[in-house]
Amino acid sequence: MRKIVVALVICSFLFIGTSIYAQSTSGLTFSDWYRQQLHSVSEQMNKEVQVGFSSMKKSVETQEEQLLKEIEQKLSDFFLIASGSAKGDIENYKKDYLQRLEETKESLIQLDLMEVEQEMQETQMVIEKEAFDILSELLSDNDFDGFTEK
């Protein structure tokens, strides 16, 4: 029986202790408790959002750096292609020009220089004859007193 009384006393002390604790916390109103819980949760959420934004910012900066590197590489490739194309165009023009020059040189070599000289002499004779005819006509039309023979 003694065990039952001791157990009963222990249970009563426990009951009284918990009710005293409950009464001491009952001084807090429900709104105060809710405010404390809300504040605690909002601080935790604020920290998580800041961590999330920080990681997103790092991710965006990393992607931005990668995109800039890709753009620089593509521009560099484009420049190399464009300059290579221009160099190729210049080389093609140079080859074409040299080929035409060589063809012209060959055609001039193939001309018979004697024929050219003979054509030049014939042209000169025609010019001289026409000039003589024009001068003769001019002198015969104008009767210069002291200069013509009678």
Side-chain angles (χ1 to χ4, degrees), residues 94-109:
K94 179 180 172 183
K95 287 178 185 177
D96 183 53
Y97 182 77
L98 289 175
Q99 182 181 1
R100 286 187 286 144
L101 187 63
E102 189 64 34
E103 289 172 0
T104 305
K105 177 183 168 185
E106 289 297 321
S107 67
L108 288 175
I109 289 174

Side-chain angles (χ1 to χ4, degrees), residues 121-133:
Q121 286 176 354
E122 289 174 4
T123 304
Q124 185 177 1
M125 287 175 52
V126 168
I127 291 172
E128 286 176 0
K129 182 180 181 303
E130 287 180 6
F132 181 76
D133 290 343

Side-chain angles (χ1 to χ4, degrees), residues 116-145:
V116 172
E117 188 176 325
Q118 185 179 3
E119 286 179 18
M120 285 177 51
Q121 286 176 354
E122 289 174 4
T123 304
Q124 185 177 1
M125 287 175 52
V126 168
I127 291 172
E128 286 176 0
K129 182 180 181 303
E130 287 180 6
F132 181 76
D133 290 343
I134 291 172
L135 285 175
S136 294
E137 187 177 319
L138 282 173
L139 289 175
S140 67
D141 287 344
N142 294 327
D143 189 18
F144 294 108
D145 289 333

Side-chain angles (χ1 to χ4, degrees), residues 26-125:
S26 68
L28 289 175
T29 62
F30 179 71
S31 63
D32 291 336
W33 174 83
Y34 183 75
R35 208 174 290 124
Q36 285 178 350
Q37 292 299 320
L38 181 64
H39 182 68
S40 173
V41 168
S42 68
E43 283 182 359
Q44 182 181 359
M45 287 178 64
N46 189 15
K47 288 178 184 177
E48 289 176 5
V49 167
Q50 286 179 349
V51 169
F53 278 135
S54 176
S55 67
M56 283 176 53
K57 182 180 177 185
K58 289 178 184 177
S59 174
V60 167
E61 288 173 350
T62 303
Q63 289 176 353
E64 187 179 73
E65 288 175 7
Q66 287 176 336
L67 287 174
L68 286 174
K69 286 179 184 178
E70 288 177 19
I71 289 170
E72 286 176 355
Q73 183 62 40
K74 287 180 181 181
L75 285 174
S76 175
D77 292 345
F78 174 75
F79 177 73
L80 288 175
I81 290 170
S83 64
S85 175
K87 287 178 183 176
D89 290 345
I90 291 170
E91 285 297 319
N92 289 339
Y93 179 79
K94 179 180 172 183
K95 287 178 185 177
D96 183 53
Y97 182 77
L98 289 175
Q99 182 181 1
R100 286 187 286 144
L101 187 63
E102 189 64 34
E103 289 172 0
T104 305
K105 177 183 168 185
E106 289 297 321
S107 67
L108 288 175
I109 289 174
Q110 290 176 358
L111 281 178
D112 186 10
L113 293 179
M114 294 299 280
E115 286 179 21
V116 172
E117 188 176 325
Q118 185 179 3
E119 286 179 18
M120 285 177 51
Q121 286 176 354
E122 289 174 4
T123 304
Q124 185 177 1
M125 287 175 52

